[in-house]
Amino acid sequence: MINVSNARLQENIKEGLQFMAIPNIDPAEIAKFSELSAHWWDTQGELKSLHDINPLRLGYINEKTNKLAGKTVLDIGCGGGILAESMARMGAHVTGIDMTEAAIQVAKLHQYESGTSVDYLITTAEQFALERPGQFDVITCLEMLEHVPHPESIVKSTARLIKPGGQVFFSTLNRNIKSYLFAIVGAEYILKMIPKNTHDFAKFIRPSELSEWIRQSGLTVKDITGLTYNPFTKEYALGSDVAVNYFMMAQSPTCS
Ligand code: SAH
């Protein structure tokens, strides 16, 4: 007779071994973000767009979580800490993980200037899910999924890391003609808002794909919100247009 908990344990071990054997990391992406690391906190530099969208996304997360203050938050792919620090400033207890060592060093150093106290670690979501399952009220994973070989594995890891009833926030780029024109041709080549080759169109993710991975992980999609950029006013806005950049918020089931 098969013991269910043993079967689950076996499955966990097998997956853990798979994660270790095939790390979900693209070395070219890590090299790219290492090169950018020195510019992470330059609000007018190559990562300007992340600084520009941060107040909007912070407001969105704070509203959907009914206030971040006091919550235990994990930021996956935190980079130099733009979002992680801002959530800590709102009173959240934030852990930031990233596989670009140079970005984590920048994030740690920046805390001396800003006086925040985020716990920064160099690790993968998959590894962290083995070490700290079920420990976070809120998980954020913004502008990161399109930079890894197996984004569905990140989604699965968030389902393990989140507490029952907790909320997981993803943001990424949709895959269609409009997102190609706006996020690659417009942002990288015409307006030069971000460095060339920041994004690979083939790795963009349709909301239908992300929501399917979320469902397969046992989480439930609760909200989809678009993020748009108006090149004439140079302003970003949240709304129903998910054609280019979008947020997806998911919730884990509460304990029965
Ligand atoms: N989430 C941050 C940074 C986005 S840039 C923000 O929105 O402000 C994408 C980040 O993903 C980079 O910091 C890069 O180092 C990180 N990243 C890429 N592959 C990763 C991986 N396999 N594991 C963890 N982080 C990764």
Side-chain angles (χ1 to χ4, degrees):
M1 194 174 71
I2 295 176
N3 175 325
V4 175
S5 59
N6 268 349
R8 168 91 36 91
L9 183 67
Q10 299 250 330
E11 191 199 315
N12 280 354
I13 292 169
K14 202 175 102 198
E15 282 186 10
L17 290 173
Q18 276 170 0
F19 288 150
M20 281 177 237
I22 322 161
N24 188 14
I25 300 164
D26 180 342
E29 292 282 355
I30 302 301
K32 197 167 69 188
F33 285 106
S34 292
E35 252 179 59
L36 283 173
S37 287
H39 309 282
W40 215 286
W41 284 95
D42 178 358
T43 57
Q44 301 306 311
E46 296 185 304
L47 294 162
K48 178 181 189 305
S49 52
L50 291 181
H51 289 278
D52 290 347
I53 63 174
N54 205 53
L56 272 181
R57 59 191 193 172
L58 181 65
Y60 169 76
I61 295 165
N62 194 46
E63 186 201 311
K64 293 283 175 208
T65 55
N66 191 22
K67 293 211 174 82
L68 277 164
K71 302 230 161 66
T72 307
V73 181
L74 174 64
D75 188 22
I76 299 175
C78 61
I82 298 171
L83 177 72
E85 267 198 17
S86 66
M87 294 193 291
R89 252 178 264 123
M90 305 283 284
H93 307 290
V94 186
T95 301
I97 64 169
D98 201 288
M99 279 308 289
T100 302
E101 200 178 331
I104 288 289
Q105 278 167 2
V106 166
K108 283 183 176 169
L109 279 176
H110 197 264
Q111 297 212 104
Y112 289 110
E113 272 175 51
S114 64
T116 48
S117 60
V118 175
D119 187 15
Y120 287 115
L121 300 161
I122 302 164
T123 187
T124 61
E126 289 85 353
Q127 179 61 37
F128 210 52
L130 295 174
E131 292 165 13
R132 306 268 292 270
Q135 292 197 7
F136 297 92
D137 298 311
V138 175
I139 298 178
T140 53
C141 180
L142 307 189
E143 314 304 323
M144 186 269 190
L145 291 177
E146 68 275 20
H147 298 287
V148 296
H150 305 289
E152 68 283 6
S153 164
I154 304 284
V155 176
K156 206 171 186 177
S157 302
T158 65
R160 294 191 169 178
L161 287 156
I162 198 76
K163 283 185 191 172
Q167 292 161 294
V168 186
F169 294 83
F170 299 102
S171 76
T172 192
L173 288 156
N174 201 342
R175 194 174 70 255
N176 53 49
I177 284 288
K178 189 174 173 188
S179 68
Y180 180 74
L181 290 174
F182 273 69
I184 298 199
V185 181
E188 293 188 10
Y189 290 86
I190 300 176
L191 301 174
K192 299 188 170 54
M193 293 163 69
I194 52 174
K196 286 191 183 107
N197 301 319
T198 296
H199 290 120
D200 172 358
F201 179 68
K203 287 161 124 185
F204 288 6
I205 301 164
R206 295 196 177 120
S208 58
E209 295 163 339
L210 181 53
S211 56
E212 184 55 27
W213 299 333
I214 288 173
R215 270 191 293 275
Q216 280 171 2
S217 305
L219 304 175
T220 308
V221 175
K222 291 284 181 182
D223 182 68
I224 306 179
T225 293
L227 175 68
T228 52
Y229 178 70
N230 182 329
F232 302 106
T233 61
K234 297 193 169 136
E235 278 173 3
Y236 291 90
L238 296 177
S240 56
D241 179 358
V242 298
V244 181
N245 207 318
Y246 64 94
F247 294 91
M248 196 172 282
M249 195 268 275
Q251 192 153 29
S252 73
T254 46
C255 271
S256 50

